[in-house]
Amino acid sequence: MTLGIALAATNADNYVDAIVDQARVVHELGVGSVWFGQRMDYDSPALAGIVGREVPGLQVGTSAIPVVGRHPLIVAAQAQTAQAATHGRYHLGVALGSALVAGAFGAPFDRPIARLREFLTAITQLLDTGTAEFHGELLAAAPPWPTALPGAQPRTPVLVAAMGPQALRVTGELADGILPFLAGPKGLAGTIVPAITRASARTPRVVAFVPAVVTADVDAARAQALERLAFYEQIPSYRRVIDLEGASRAGELALIGDEETVAAGIRRYYEAGATEVVLVSTDLTGPADEHRTWSLAGELAAQHTTVSASADPARN
């Protein structure tokens, strides 16, 4: 059971220092990976590289950099720098983006699937071969010098926040897996996992991002989840997967309750086809419950490691 935590800090005097401190705590509790969204105030690959270097052994990932407003040459360089800094523990996540994000760059948000295909084609060439000769309709990547970075091995995995049929098809053809968010077990098992599996030549990674908090104050946590996640209800891709789950509100998909309740909810995601689960919004009801949630993640990861070791004849 590969479990991760999406980290974010509030009221920090120094955001990077605060995230490094959180990552150390999470790692000590036995959690295997930490992930960072791409915002407008920090650079996610840079933050991941710093955290991975400060906390040896911890896997670090970006979820996810919108391809609109970015160029594959720049993102490939960022990813390889983080990969070298962490000695092979960085995972690159990208996303289509939105009209809101595109507007921040003064860029149009048109033909998002075509842009995703071209971006993935170019960045795959760059990461696989150390160069590219790509000339598409929406972007080009033809560096005059080699782009391979010494130490950036193994090749950085590329994951996509894809959930719609066209994005899943492109991702299956060109990337290593997906980063679904607010896609519950029904949507994963019935629609998303079959679609990405059909489109992939190899077994794809399915890294499900799931809002979760272990707490005794279920009502307060649910109210916070409904408020915090309401934004996604207006975005068509998220609205689609919320509807697939039979929910009316995004906050209904949050796993909230005691350790047994949240653990059971996490297991349902693996049963639905997730290869990894990353818990997000673990701070819904404050630091004490957040630490309790991280502790549960570490315990579940340790249980899985013990079971896997006992079942492996080579270890016995």
Side-chain angles (χ1 to χ4, degrees):
M1 183 180 293
T2 304
L3 273 170
I5 301 291
L7 295 181
T10 56
N11 302 319
D13 292 330
N14 183 299
Y15 193 88
V16 174
D17 289 346
I19 290 294
V20 169
D21 289 343
Q22 286 187 357
R24 287 197 178 103
V25 172
V26 164
H27 187 49
E28 289 169 0
L29 290 170
V31 175
S33 68
V34 294
W35 296 74
F36 312 100
Q38 179 60 59
R39 307 191 322 198
M40 295 289 177
D41 56 350
Y42 67 74
D43 180 75
S44 185
L47 183 59
I50 292 167
V51 169
R53 197 161 184 88
E54 290 285 329
V55 190
L58 187 63
Q59 301 287 320
V60 292
T62 293
S63 179
I65 300 172
V67 300
V68 61
R70 269 86 175 182
H71 193 280
L73 272 169
I74 301 300
V75 176
Q78 292 175 301
Q80 290 187 111
T81 303
Q83 185 73 321
T86 62
H87 292 258
R89 289 177 280 116
Y90 175 67
H91 307 256
L92 171 64
V94 300
L96 279 74
S98 65
L100 185 65
V101 172
F105 290 96
F109 186 65
D110 56 347
R111 303 180 64 191
I113 300 300
R115 183 174 299 278
L116 177 65
R117 178 178 289 280
E118 292 191 5
F119 188 98
L120 291 177
T121 300
I123 201 168
T124 297
Q125 288 184 21
L126 292 164
L127 295 175
D128 285 349
T129 70
T131 189
E133 190 62 45
F134 178 76
H135 300 274
E137 296 181 61
L138 301 174
L139 61 86
W145 302 288
T147 60
L149 181 69
Q153 291 84 32
R155 182 259 202 193
T156 305
V158 180
L159 308 165
V160 182
M163 296 186 292
Q166 295 183 73
L168 287 167
R169 185 164 54 252
V170 171
T171 299
E173 294 172 8
L174 298 171
D176 299 295
I178 56 173
L179 303 162
F181 175 51
L182 295 179
K186 291 180 184 177
L188 285 175
T191 303
I192 293 174
V193 172
I196 189 63
T197 302
R198 284 193 303 269
S200 301
R202 56 190 180 277
T203 302
R205 289 173 61 185
V206 179
V207 187
F209 281 66
V210 182
V213 62
V214 177
T215 182
D217 198 345
V218 174
D219 291 341
R222 185 67 65 191
Q224 283 292 316
L226 290 170
E227 179 180 347
R228 185 180 298 187
L229 300 174
F231 165 78
Y232 295 99
E233 297 162 11
Q234 310 305 316
I235 301 174
S237 59
Y238 291 108
R239 182 71 259 172
R240 187 181 307 113
V241 294
I242 293 168
D243 291 341
L244 283 175
E245 208 60 24
S248 59
R249 301 290 308 279
E252 296 172 26
L253 297 173
L255 303 178
I256 297 172
D258 61 15
E259 282 82 357
E260 183 178 352
T261 299
V262 174
I266 291 171
R267 284 193 290 271
R268 286 194 291 272
Y269 279 84
Y270 288 104
E271 292 166 358
T275 60
E276 303 156 62
V277 170
V278 178
L279 304 184
V280 308
S281 300
T282 58
D283 62 342
L284 285 173
T285 48
D289 285 343
E290 182 166 54
H291 191 276
R292 191 176 167 187
T293 308
W294 294 352
S295 297
L296 173 65
E299 291 168 9
L300 293 175
Q303 290 172 15
H304 178 73
T305 300
T306 301
V307 170
S308 297
S310 63
D312 186 350
R315 299 183 182 223
N316 298 309

